[in-house]
Short mmCIF file of all heavy atoms in Angstrom, two decimals:
data_model
loop_
_atom_site.label_atom_id
_atom_site.label_comp_id
_atom_site.label_asym_id
_atom_site.label_seq_id
_atom_site.Cartn_x
_atom_site.Cartn_y
_atom_site.Cartn_z
N MET L 1 -76.82 -172.51 -71.05
CA MET L 1 -77.70 -173.63 -71.16
C MET L 1 -79.13 -173.22 -71.54
O MET L 1 -79.64 -172.18 -70.89
CB MET L 1 -77.67 -174.41 -69.93
CG MET L 1 -78.39 -175.78 -70.04
SD MET L 1 -78.24 -176.79 -68.62
CE MET L 1 -79.98 -176.91 -68.11
N VAL L 2 -79.58 -173.78 -72.54
CA VAL L 2 -81.01 -173.48 -72.97
C VAL L 2 -82.05 -174.58 -72.49
O VAL L 2 -81.79 -175.71 -72.82
CB VAL L 2 -81.04 -173.35 -74.60
CG1 VAL L 2 -82.41 -173.03 -74.93
CG2 VAL L 2 -80.00 -172.31 -75.04
N THR L 3 -83.03 -174.16 -71.95
CA THR L 3 -84.05 -175.08 -71.52
C THR L 3 -85.43 -174.73 -72.09
O THR L 3 -85.79 -173.58 -72.10
CB THR L 3 -84.08 -175.31 -69.93
OG1 THR L 3 -84.19 -174.03 -69.41
CG2 THR L 3 -82.95 -176.16 -69.38
N ILE L 4 -86.19 -175.73 -72.43
CA ILE L 4 -87.63 -175.54 -72.82
C ILE L 4 -88.45 -176.14 -71.95
O ILE L 4 -88.46 -177.28 -71.55
CB ILE L 4 -87.68 -176.10 -74.26
CG1 ILE L 4 -86.72 -175.20 -75.28
CG2 ILE L 4 -89.25 -175.96 -74.79
CD1 ILE L 4 -86.58 -175.90 -76.62
N ASP L 5 -89.46 -175.34 -71.38
CA ASP L 5 -90.51 -175.81 -70.48
C ASP L 5 -91.57 -176.53 -71.40
O ASP L 5 -92.33 -175.77 -71.96
CB ASP L 5 -91.02 -174.67 -69.65
CG ASP L 5 -91.85 -175.29 -68.56
OD1 ASP L 5 -92.59 -176.26 -68.81
OD2 ASP L 5 -91.83 -174.79 -67.37
N GLU L 6 -91.41 -177.90 -71.31
CA GLU L 6 -92.40 -178.51 -72.25
C GLU L 6 -93.92 -178.42 -71.90
O GLU L 6 -94.62 -178.58 -72.87
CB GLU L 6 -92.05 -180.05 -72.17
CG GLU L 6 -90.60 -180.28 -72.52
CD GLU L 6 -90.20 -181.83 -72.70
OE1 GLU L 6 -91.02 -182.70 -72.14
OE2 GLU L 6 -89.09 -182.06 -73.10
N GLN L 7 -94.21 -178.03 -70.69
CA GLN L 7 -95.55 -177.89 -70.26
C GLN L 7 -96.13 -176.71 -71.02
O GLN L 7 -97.34 -176.53 -71.27
CB GLN L 7 -95.49 -177.58 -68.79
CG GLN L 7 -96.90 -177.61 -68.13
CD GLN L 7 -96.74 -177.34 -66.64
OE1 GLN L 7 -95.68 -177.37 -66.09
NE2 GLN L 7 -97.91 -176.88 -66.04
N TYR L 8 -95.34 -175.57 -71.12
CA TYR L 8 -95.79 -174.33 -71.64
C TYR L 8 -95.69 -174.15 -73.19
O TYR L 8 -96.27 -173.29 -73.76
CB TYR L 8 -95.11 -173.17 -70.94
CG TYR L 8 -95.53 -172.99 -69.48
CD1 TYR L 8 -94.62 -173.22 -68.58
CD2 TYR L 8 -96.84 -172.77 -69.08
CE1 TYR L 8 -95.05 -173.23 -67.19
CE2 TYR L 8 -97.22 -172.80 -67.77
CZ TYR L 8 -96.28 -172.97 -66.86
OH TYR L 8 -96.66 -172.88 -65.50
N CYS L 9 -94.82 -174.94 -73.78
CA CYS L 9 -94.61 -174.91 -75.22
C CYS L 9 -95.91 -175.10 -75.97
O CYS L 9 -96.55 -175.98 -75.72
CB CYS L 9 -93.51 -175.89 -75.61
SG CYS L 9 -93.18 -175.86 -77.35
N LYS L 10 -96.10 -174.47 -77.15
CA LYS L 10 -97.17 -174.54 -77.93
C LYS L 10 -96.90 -174.98 -79.30
O LYS L 10 -97.59 -174.88 -80.22
CB LYS L 10 -98.22 -173.53 -77.92
CG LYS L 10 -97.57 -172.26 -78.58
CD LYS L 10 -98.61 -171.08 -78.72
CE LYS L 10 -98.10 -169.97 -79.51
NZ LYS L 10 -99.10 -168.82 -79.57
N GLY L 11 -95.49 -175.36 -79.48
CA GLY L 11 -95.07 -175.93 -80.76
C GLY L 11 -95.12 -174.96 -81.93
O GLY L 11 -95.15 -175.43 -83.05
N CYS L 12 -94.93 -173.71 -81.73
CA CYS L 12 -94.91 -172.80 -82.82
C CYS L 12 -93.66 -172.76 -83.61
O CYS L 12 -93.56 -172.25 -84.71
CB CYS L 12 -95.28 -171.27 -82.35
SG CYS L 12 -93.90 -170.68 -81.31
N PHE L 13 -92.58 -173.14 -82.90
CA PHE L 13 -91.19 -173.23 -83.60
C PHE L 13 -90.64 -171.82 -83.99
O PHE L 13 -89.70 -171.76 -84.82
CB PHE L 13 -91.18 -174.24 -84.71
CG PHE L 13 -91.27 -175.68 -84.16
CD1 PHE L 13 -92.46 -176.20 -84.44
CD2 PHE L 13 -90.28 -176.31 -83.31
CE1 PHE L 13 -92.71 -177.62 -83.98
CE2 PHE L 13 -90.56 -177.48 -82.96
CZ PHE L 13 -91.63 -178.12 -83.19
N LEU L 14 -91.03 -170.80 -83.36
CA LEU L 14 -90.45 -169.58 -83.63
C LEU L 14 -88.94 -169.61 -83.09
O LEU L 14 -88.12 -169.02 -83.67
CB LEU L 14 -91.23 -168.39 -82.84
CG LEU L 14 -92.47 -168.02 -83.42
CD1 LEU L 14 -93.25 -166.98 -82.55
CD2 LEU L 14 -92.18 -167.34 -84.85
N CYS L 15 -88.79 -170.29 -81.95
CA CYS L 15 -87.39 -170.49 -81.40
C CYS L 15 -86.40 -171.14 -82.38
O CYS L 15 -85.33 -170.71 -82.60
CB CYS L 15 -87.42 -171.25 -80.08
SG CYS L 15 -88.34 -172.80 -80.15
N LEU L 16 -87.00 -172.08 -83.02
CA LEU L 16 -86.17 -172.86 -83.98
C LEU L 16 -85.80 -171.85 -85.14
O LEU L 16 -84.75 -171.76 -85.71
CB LEU L 16 -86.96 -174.08 -84.52
CG LEU L 16 -86.40 -174.99 -85.52
CD1 LEU L 16 -87.06 -176.37 -85.42
CD2 LEU L 16 -86.48 -174.57 -87.05
N HIS L 17 -86.81 -171.14 -85.62
CA HIS L 17 -86.67 -170.34 -86.93
C HIS L 17 -85.77 -169.07 -86.61
O HIS L 17 -85.00 -168.65 -87.43
CB HIS L 17 -88.03 -169.89 -87.49
CG HIS L 17 -88.78 -171.06 -88.11
ND1 HIS L 17 -88.40 -171.77 -89.17
CD2 HIS L 17 -89.94 -171.60 -87.67
CE1 HIS L 17 -89.20 -172.68 -89.46
NE2 HIS L 17 -90.12 -172.65 -88.58
N TYR L 18 -85.81 -168.61 -85.38
CA TYR L 18 -85.07 -167.39 -85.05
C TYR L 18 -83.75 -167.67 -84.52
O TYR L 18 -82.87 -166.72 -84.52
CB TYR L 18 -85.89 -166.45 -84.13
CG TYR L 18 -86.85 -165.64 -84.94
CD1 TYR L 18 -88.27 -166.16 -85.04
CD2 TYR L 18 -86.55 -164.38 -85.38
CE1 TYR L 18 -89.16 -165.49 -85.75
CE2 TYR L 18 -87.58 -163.65 -86.15
CZ TYR L 18 -88.77 -164.32 -86.32
OH TYR L 18 -89.67 -163.46 -87.08
N CYS L 19 -83.37 -168.78 -84.21
CA CYS L 19 -82.06 -169.19 -83.66
C CYS L 19 -81.06 -169.01 -84.81
O CYS L 19 -81.09 -169.72 -85.82
CB CYS L 19 -81.96 -170.55 -82.96
SG CYS L 19 -80.24 -170.91 -82.59
N PRO L 20 -79.97 -167.98 -84.61
CA PRO L 20 -79.12 -167.88 -85.68
C PRO L 20 -78.06 -168.94 -85.79
O PRO L 20 -77.45 -169.03 -86.82
CB PRO L 20 -78.37 -166.60 -85.24
CG PRO L 20 -78.56 -166.50 -83.71
CD PRO L 20 -79.89 -167.20 -83.54
N LYS L 21 -78.07 -169.81 -84.92
CA LYS L 21 -76.99 -170.92 -84.91
C LYS L 21 -77.64 -172.37 -85.07
O LYS L 21 -76.96 -173.35 -84.98
CB LYS L 21 -76.23 -171.00 -83.53
CG LYS L 21 -75.43 -169.57 -83.39
CD LYS L 21 -74.41 -169.50 -84.35
CE LYS L 21 -73.64 -168.19 -84.17
NZ LYS L 21 -72.66 -167.94 -85.10
N LYS L 22 -78.93 -172.30 -85.38
CA LYS L 22 -79.66 -173.56 -85.58
C LYS L 22 -79.46 -174.64 -84.57
O LYS L 22 -79.19 -175.79 -84.63
CB LYS L 22 -79.14 -174.25 -86.98
CG LYS L 22 -79.45 -173.31 -88.08
CD LYS L 22 -79.32 -174.21 -89.48
CE LYS L 22 -79.43 -173.17 -90.64
NZ LYS L 22 -80.57 -172.21 -90.65
N VAL L 23 -79.50 -174.10 -83.22
CA VAL L 23 -79.28 -175.00 -82.12
C VAL L 23 -80.60 -175.81 -81.73
O VAL L 23 -80.48 -176.98 -81.29
CB VAL L 23 -79.01 -173.99 -80.82
CG1 VAL L 23 -79.11 -174.86 -79.57
CG2 VAL L 23 -77.67 -173.36 -81.09
N ILE L 24 -81.78 -175.35 -82.11
CA ILE L 24 -82.95 -175.87 -81.86
C ILE L 24 -83.47 -176.72 -83.07
O ILE L 24 -83.47 -176.27 -84.12
CB ILE L 24 -83.91 -174.85 -81.39
CG1 ILE L 24 -83.39 -174.11 -80.18
CG2 ILE L 24 -85.27 -175.47 -80.99
CD1 ILE L 24 -84.15 -172.88 -79.81
N GLY L 25 -84.06 -177.94 -82.71
CA GLY L 25 -84.50 -178.76 -83.77
C GLY L 25 -85.94 -179.20 -83.22
O GLY L 25 -86.48 -178.94 -82.25
N LYS L 26 -86.67 -179.91 -84.18
CA LYS L 26 -87.98 -180.42 -83.92
C LYS L 26 -87.79 -181.90 -83.40
O LYS L 26 -87.09 -182.65 -83.93
CB LYS L 26 -88.87 -180.56 -85.22
CG LYS L 26 -89.48 -179.29 -85.56
CD LYS L 26 -90.43 -179.35 -86.68
CE LYS L 26 -90.78 -177.98 -87.15
NZ LYS L 26 -91.92 -177.94 -88.25
N SER L 27 -88.42 -182.12 -82.19
CA SER L 27 -88.26 -183.52 -81.68
C SER L 27 -89.56 -184.30 -82.19
O SER L 27 -90.41 -183.68 -82.94
CB SER L 27 -88.27 -183.40 -80.11
OG SER L 27 -89.60 -183.17 -79.76
N LYS L 28 -89.50 -185.54 -81.91
CA LYS L 28 -90.86 -186.26 -82.11
C LYS L 28 -91.67 -186.53 -80.90
O LYS L 28 -92.70 -187.18 -80.82
CB LYS L 28 -90.41 -187.73 -82.46
CG LYS L 28 -89.62 -187.79 -83.83
CD LYS L 28 -89.60 -189.16 -84.42
CE LYS L 28 -88.66 -189.35 -85.55
NZ LYS L 28 -88.50 -188.15 -86.52
N LYS L 29 -91.33 -185.64 -79.84
CA LYS L 29 -92.03 -185.58 -78.64
C LYS L 29 -93.26 -184.75 -78.60
O LYS L 29 -93.24 -183.69 -79.27
CB LYS L 29 -91.09 -185.25 -77.47
CG LYS L 29 -91.14 -186.06 -76.25
CD LYS L 29 -90.00 -185.52 -75.32
CE LYS L 29 -90.41 -185.46 -73.99
NZ LYS L 29 -89.25 -185.09 -73.03
N ILE L 30 -94.37 -185.21 -77.95
CA ILE L 30 -95.59 -184.30 -78.01
C ILE L 30 -95.90 -184.10 -76.57
O ILE L 30 -95.85 -184.98 -75.70
CB ILE L 30 -96.73 -185.02 -78.64
CG1 ILE L 30 -96.41 -185.10 -80.12
CG2 ILE L 30 -98.03 -184.37 -78.47
CD1 ILE L 30 -97.25 -185.96 -81.12
N ASN L 31 -96.32 -182.76 -76.20
CA ASN L 31 -96.50 -182.53 -74.70
C ASN L 31 -98.08 -182.81 -74.52
O ASN L 31 -98.81 -183.29 -75.34
CB ASN L 31 -96.21 -181.08 -74.45
CG ASN L 31 -97.05 -180.11 -75.03
OD1 ASN L 31 -98.04 -180.36 -75.77
ND2 ASN L 31 -96.68 -178.78 -74.82
N GLY L 32 -98.41 -182.44 -73.30
CA GLY L 32 -99.72 -182.81 -72.78
C GLY L 32 -100.99 -182.19 -73.55
O GLY L 32 -102.09 -182.48 -73.56
N LYS L 33 -100.54 -180.94 -74.23
CA LYS L 33 -101.41 -180.26 -75.03
C LYS L 33 -101.59 -180.70 -76.50
O LYS L 33 -102.36 -180.24 -77.30
CB LYS L 33 -101.19 -178.81 -74.94
CG LYS L 33 -101.20 -178.20 -73.58
CD LYS L 33 -100.84 -176.70 -73.63
CE LYS L 33 -100.68 -176.15 -72.26
NZ LYS L 33 -100.01 -174.88 -72.25
N GLY L 34 -100.67 -181.67 -76.81
CA GLY L 34 -100.69 -182.36 -78.13
C GLY L 34 -99.79 -181.51 -79.07
O GLY L 34 -99.93 -181.72 -80.31
N TYR L 35 -98.85 -180.66 -78.60
CA TYR L 35 -97.94 -179.97 -79.42
C TYR L 35 -96.67 -180.58 -79.54
O TYR L 35 -96.16 -181.11 -78.61
CB TYR L 35 -97.85 -178.54 -78.85
CG TYR L 35 -98.95 -177.69 -78.82
CD1 TYR L 35 -99.40 -177.15 -77.56
CD2 TYR L 35 -99.62 -177.38 -79.98
CE1 TYR L 35 -100.46 -176.27 -77.61
CE2 TYR L 35 -100.79 -176.60 -79.95
CZ TYR L 35 -101.13 -176.09 -78.67
OH TYR L 35 -102.37 -175.30 -78.61
N THR L 36 -96.19 -180.58 -80.86
CA THR L 36 -94.83 -181.23 -80.99
C THR L 36 -93.84 -180.25 -80.45
O THR L 36 -93.92 -179.04 -80.57
CB THR L 36 -94.54 -181.28 -82.48
OG1 THR L 36 -95.56 -182.22 -83.21
CG2 THR L 36 -93.15 -181.91 -82.89
N LEU L 37 -92.80 -180.84 -79.71
CA LEU L 37 -91.88 -180.03 -78.96
C LEU L 37 -90.66 -179.92 -79.73
O LEU L 37 -90.12 -180.83 -80.42
CB LEU L 37 -91.69 -180.71 -77.60
CG LEU L 37 -92.80 -180.83 -76.66
CD1 LEU L 37 -92.54 -181.82 -75.52
CD2 LEU L 37 -93.15 -179.48 -76.02
N PRO L 38 -89.99 -178.72 -79.52
CA PRO L 38 -88.52 -178.52 -79.88
C PRO L 38 -87.61 -179.15 -78.92
O PRO L 38 -88.08 -179.43 -77.89
CB PRO L 38 -88.44 -176.99 -79.99
CG PRO L 38 -89.42 -176.44 -78.93
CD PRO L 38 -90.47 -177.50 -78.77
N TYR L 39 -86.37 -179.34 -79.44
CA TYR L 39 -85.44 -179.84 -78.46
C TYR L 39 -84.04 -179.08 -78.80
O TYR L 39 -83.91 -178.62 -79.86
CB TYR L 39 -85.25 -181.33 -78.48
CG TYR L 39 -84.48 -181.97 -79.69
CD1 TYR L 39 -83.28 -182.44 -79.47
CD2 TYR L 39 -85.05 -181.71 -81.05
CE1 TYR L 39 -82.71 -183.09 -80.59
CE2 TYR L 39 -84.46 -182.32 -82.06
CZ TYR L 39 -83.18 -182.97 -81.95
OH TYR L 39 -82.38 -183.36 -83.02
N ILE L 40 -83.16 -179.23 -77.92
CA ILE L 40 -81.88 -178.57 -78.03
C ILE L 40 -80.93 -179.62 -78.82
O ILE L 40 -80.25 -180.45 -78.30
CB ILE L 40 -81.28 -178.19 -76.67
CG1 ILE L 40 -82.21 -177.31 -75.94
CG2 ILE L 40 -79.97 -177.38 -77.05
CD1 ILE L 40 -82.87 -176.17 -76.63
N ALA L 41 -81.03 -179.42 -80.07
CA ALA L 41 -80.21 -180.34 -81.07
C ALA L 41 -78.76 -180.22 -81.04
O ALA L 41 -78.09 -181.14 -81.27
CB ALA L 41 -80.83 -180.32 -82.34
N ASN L 42 -78.33 -178.99 -80.95
CA ASN L 42 -76.97 -178.62 -81.02
C ASN L 42 -76.35 -177.75 -80.11
O ASN L 42 -76.00 -176.62 -80.42
CB ASN L 42 -76.85 -178.06 -82.50
CG ASN L 42 -75.51 -178.02 -83.11
OD1 ASN L 42 -74.52 -178.65 -82.53
ND2 ASN L 42 -75.36 -177.36 -84.15
N PRO L 43 -76.32 -178.13 -78.70
CA PRO L 43 -76.05 -177.19 -77.65
C PRO L 43 -74.70 -176.54 -77.80
O PRO L 43 -74.60 -175.33 -77.38
CB PRO L 43 -76.26 -178.11 -76.51
CG PRO L 43 -76.13 -179.45 -76.94
CD PRO L 43 -76.60 -179.47 -78.31
N ASP L 44 -73.66 -177.15 -78.47
CA ASP L 44 -72.34 -176.59 -78.51
C ASP L 44 -72.39 -175.39 -79.40
O ASP L 44 -71.46 -174.62 -79.21
CB ASP L 44 -71.41 -177.62 -78.99
CG ASP L 44 -71.28 -178.77 -77.98
OD1 ASP L 44 -71.60 -178.68 -76.90
OD2 ASP L 44 -70.73 -179.81 -78.36
N ALA L 45 -73.25 -175.26 -80.28
CA ALA L 45 -73.20 -174.10 -81.14
C ALA L 45 -74.02 -172.83 -80.59
O ALA L 45 -73.82 -171.78 -81.02
CB ALA L 45 -73.99 -174.45 -82.43
N CYS L 46 -74.60 -172.93 -79.44
CA CYS L 46 -75.29 -171.90 -78.75
C CYS L 46 -74.32 -170.68 -78.32
O CYS L 46 -73.30 -171.04 -77.67
CB CYS L 46 -76.12 -172.33 -77.54
SG CYS L 46 -77.04 -171.13 -76.80
N THR L 47 -74.69 -169.60 -78.63
CA THR L 47 -73.90 -168.36 -78.35
C THR L 47 -74.52 -167.63 -77.21
O THR L 47 -74.14 -166.57 -76.82
CB THR L 47 -73.70 -167.40 -79.44
OG1 THR L 47 -74.94 -166.99 -79.90
CG2 THR L 47 -72.96 -167.98 -80.62
N MET L 48 -75.56 -168.21 -76.54
CA MET L 48 -76.27 -167.54 -75.50
C MET L 48 -76.81 -166.15 -75.84
O MET L 48 -76.94 -165.15 -75.04
CB MET L 48 -75.39 -167.34 -74.20
CG MET L 48 -74.81 -168.66 -73.75
SD MET L 48 -75.92 -169.61 -72.77
CE MET L 48 -75.08 -170.99 -72.36
N CYS L 49 -77.18 -165.98 -77.08
CA CYS L 49 -77.69 -164.77 -77.53
C CYS L 49 -79.07 -164.32 -76.96
O CYS L 49 -79.53 -163.25 -77.01
CB CYS L 49 -77.67 -164.65 -79.06
SG CYS L 49 -79.02 -165.60 -79.84
N ARG L 50 -79.80 -165.29 -76.58
CA ARG L 50 -81.20 -165.17 -75.92
C ARG L 50 -82.23 -164.87 -76.95
O ARG L 50 -83.37 -164.53 -76.47
CB ARG L 50 -81.12 -164.09 -74.83
CG ARG L 50 -80.17 -164.37 -73.75
CD ARG L 50 -80.34 -163.32 -72.57
NE ARG L 50 -80.96 -163.98 -71.44
CZ ARG L 50 -80.33 -164.59 -70.44
NH1 ARG L 50 -79.05 -164.53 -70.49
NH2 ARG L 50 -81.01 -165.09 -69.44
N THR L 51 -81.99 -164.97 -78.19
CA THR L 51 -82.99 -164.63 -79.20
C THR L 51 -84.24 -165.49 -78.95
O THR L 51 -85.39 -165.17 -79.02
CB THR L 51 -82.53 -164.82 -80.52
OG1 THR L 51 -81.40 -163.87 -80.75
CG2 THR L 51 -83.57 -164.58 -81.51
N CYS L 52 -83.95 -166.86 -78.76
CA CYS L 52 -84.93 -167.83 -78.46
C CYS L 52 -85.85 -167.48 -77.22
O CYS L 52 -87.12 -167.56 -77.34
CB CYS L 52 -84.46 -169.26 -78.43
SG CYS L 52 -83.07 -169.38 -77.06
N GLU L 53 -85.18 -167.07 -76.22
CA GLU L 53 -85.87 -166.75 -75.00
C GLU L 53 -86.88 -165.54 -75.26
O GLU L 53 -87.96 -165.54 -74.75
CB GLU L 53 -84.85 -166.42 -73.93
CG GLU L 53 -85.46 -166.25 -72.55
CD GLU L 53 -84.27 -165.89 -71.49
OE1 GLU L 53 -83.77 -164.85 -71.59
OE2 GLU L 53 -83.98 -166.77 -70.71
N LEU L 54 -86.32 -164.54 -76.07
CA LEU L 54 -87.04 -163.43 -76.22
C LEU L 54 -88.24 -163.58 -77.22
O LEU L 54 -89.31 -162.90 -77.19
CB LEU L 54 -86.18 -162.19 -76.78
CG LEU L 54 -85.13 -161.79 -75.80
CD1 LEU L 54 -84.12 -160.81 -76.46
CD2 LEU L 54 -85.86 -160.91 -74.61
N ILE L 55 -88.08 -164.40 -78.25
CA ILE L 55 -89.10 -164.63 -79.15
C ILE L 55 -90.22 -165.58 -78.83
O ILE L 55 -91.34 -165.52 -79.30
CB ILE L 55 -88.36 -165.20 -80.51
CG1 ILE L 55 -89.13 -164.77 -81.71
CG2 ILE L 55 -88.24 -166.75 -80.47
CD1 ILE L 55 -88.91 -163.36 -82.12
N CYS L 56 -89.97 -166.41 -77.76
CA CYS L 56 -91.05 -167.45 -77.44
C CYS L 56 -92.13 -166.69 -76.86
O CYS L 56 -92.19 -166.04 -75.79
CB CYS L 56 -90.50 -168.41 -76.35
SG CYS L 56 -91.73 -169.56 -75.86
N PRO L 57 -93.42 -166.90 -77.44
CA PRO L 57 -94.59 -166.10 -76.93
C PRO L 57 -95.09 -166.71 -75.67
O PRO L 57 -95.97 -166.17 -74.97
CB PRO L 57 -95.59 -166.34 -78.02
CG PRO L 57 -95.02 -167.49 -78.93
CD PRO L 57 -93.67 -167.44 -78.75
N GLU L 58 -94.72 -167.95 -75.31
CA GLU L 58 -95.20 -168.71 -74.18
C GLU L 58 -94.18 -168.55 -72.96
O GLU L 58 -94.48 -169.21 -71.94
CB GLU L 58 -95.46 -170.18 -74.46
CG GLU L 58 -96.33 -170.29 -75.64
CD GLU L 58 -97.74 -169.77 -75.41
OE1 GLU L 58 -98.29 -169.87 -74.32
OE2 GLU L 58 -98.21 -169.05 -76.40
N LEU L 59 -93.03 -167.88 -73.20
CA LEU L 59 -92.08 -167.65 -72.11
C LEU L 59 -91.59 -169.17 -71.65
O LEU L 59 -91.33 -169.37 -70.54
CB LEU L 59 -92.54 -166.93 -70.97
CG LEU L 59 -93.08 -165.53 -71.25
CD1 LEU L 59 -93.60 -164.92 -69.98
CD2 LEU L 59 -92.08 -164.57 -71.99
N ALA L 60 -91.55 -170.02 -72.59
CA ALA L 60 -91.14 -171.42 -72.40
C ALA L 60 -89.68 -171.65 -72.39
O ALA L 60 -89.23 -172.75 -71.87
CB ALA L 60 -91.93 -172.40 -73.27
N VAL L 61 -88.96 -170.65 -72.89
CA VAL L 61 -87.46 -170.92 -73.21
C VAL L 61 -86.77 -170.13 -72.11
O VAL L 61 -87.03 -168.88 -71.96
CB VAL L 61 -87.01 -170.45 -74.54
CG1 VAL L 61 -85.59 -170.88 -74.81
CG2 VAL L 61 -87.93 -171.20 -75.61
N THR L 62 -85.73 -170.68 -71.57
CA THR L 62 -84.89 -170.06 -70.57
C THR L 62 -83.40 -170.25 -71.03
O THR L 62 -82.87 -171.39 -71.34
CB THR L 62 -84.95 -170.56 -69.23
OG1 THR L 62 -86.42 -170.63 -68.87
CG2 THR L 62 -84.22 -169.75 -68.09
N VAL L 63 -82.74 -169.14 -71.01
CA VAL L 63 -81.22 -169.20 -71.37
C VAL L 63 -80.54 -168.89 -70.13
O VAL L 63 -80.64 -167.66 -69.49
CB VAL L 63 -80.84 -168.33 -72.56
CG1 VAL L 63 -79.40 -168.42 -72.82
CG2 VAL L 63 -81.57 -168.67 -73.75
N GLU L 64 -79.63 -169.77 -69.67
CA GLU L 64 -78.91 -169.50 -68.49
C GLU L 64 -77.39 -169.62 -68.57
O GLU L 64 -76.93 -170.49 -69.48
CB GLU L 64 -79.31 -170.50 -67.28
CG GLU L 64 -80.70 -170.26 -66.76
CD GLU L 64 -81.12 -171.42 -65.88
OE1 GLU L 64 -81.06 -172.50 -66.36
OE2 GLU L 64 -81.48 -171.01 -64.56
N GLY L 65 -76.71 -168.62 -67.95
CA GLY L 65 -75.24 -168.68 -68.04
C GLY L 65 -74.79 -167.82 -69.30
O GLY L 65 -75.53 -167.38 -70.06
N GLY L 66 -73.56 -167.70 -69.33
CA GLY L 66 -72.96 -167.01 -70.45
C GLY L 66 -73.16 -165.40 -70.19
O GLY L 66 -73.73 -165.06 -69.17
N ALA L 67 -72.94 -164.60 -71.14
CA ALA L 67 -73.17 -163.17 -71.10
C ALA L 67 -74.61 -162.82 -71.25
O ALA L 67 -75.36 -163.42 -72.03
CB ALA L 67 -72.32 -162.43 -72.24
N SER L 68 -75.09 -161.94 -70.57
CA SER L 68 -76.53 -161.61 -70.62
C SER L 68 -76.79 -159.98 -70.51
O SER L 68 -75.76 -159.30 -70.21
CB SER L 68 -77.35 -162.20 -69.47
OG SER L 68 -76.87 -161.77 -68.33
S1 SF4 A 1 -90.98 -170.57 -79.40
FE1 SF4 A 1 -91.67 -171.15 -77.41
S2 SF4 A 1 -93.78 -172.01 -77.72
FE2 SF4 A 1 -92.78 -171.79 -79.75
S3 SF4 A 1 -91.85 -173.86 -80.10
FE3 SF4 A 1 -90.20 -172.51 -79.11
S4 SF4 A 1 -90.38 -173.15 -76.96
FE4 SF4 A 1 -92.24 -173.68 -77.95
S1 SF4 A 2 -79.55 -168.43 -77.15
FE1 SF4 A 2 -79.34 -167.88 -79.20
S2 SF4 A 2 -77.88 -169.32 -80.14
FE2 SF4 A 2 -78.58 -170.19 -78.29
S3 SF4 A 2 -80.47 -171.46 -78.81
FE3 SF4 A 2 -81.20 -169.46 -78.28
S4 SF4 A 2 -81.36 -168.37 -80.19
FE4 SF4 A 2 -79.93 -170.16 -80.54
#
């Protein structure tokens, strides 16, 4: 399961661009800092590769479960 901590996200969308399975999309939601937030658009496609977790400069993405 992939979760995004909306409080720490700065809307850079590196997670979206680096996800090989296009799991992450752009939402219409904006956090308290004024950044547009990503969301888990396609959770079933996730392979738990953790690329999104590793690429996020704000450590806002957590991948739990699956192989690690
Ligand atoms: S990489 Fe991190 S900071 Fe950037 S949009 Fe994704 S969750 Fe937000
Ligand atoms: S763990 Fe991998 S497949 Fe799943 S959302 Fe993150 S980058 Fe995409």
Side-chain angles (χ1 to χ4, degrees):
M1 190 175 112
V2 182
T3 49
I4 294 166
D5 191 320
E6 300 186 349
Q7 188 185 345
Y8 293 114
C9 175
K10 66 173 186 187
C12 67
F13 293 111
L14 284 175
C15 53
L16 182 157
H17 290 297
Y18 280 89
C19 173
K21 298 294 176 184
K22 301 197 189 307
V23 171
I24 301 168
K26 278 189 193 185
S27 77
K28 294 196 187 330
K29 224 168 138 184
I30 291 171
N31 71 5
K33 295 176 189 164
Y35 297 121
T36 301
L37 293 166
Y39 77 112
I40 309 307
N42 195 9
D44 292 346
C46 179
T47 58
M48 304 279 177
C49 71
R50 304 188 103 94
T51 301
C52 52
E53 188 179 67
L54 292 169
I55 209 77
C56 177
E58 303 302 313
L59 306 178
V61 185
T62 308
V63 181
E64 287 172 305
S68 60

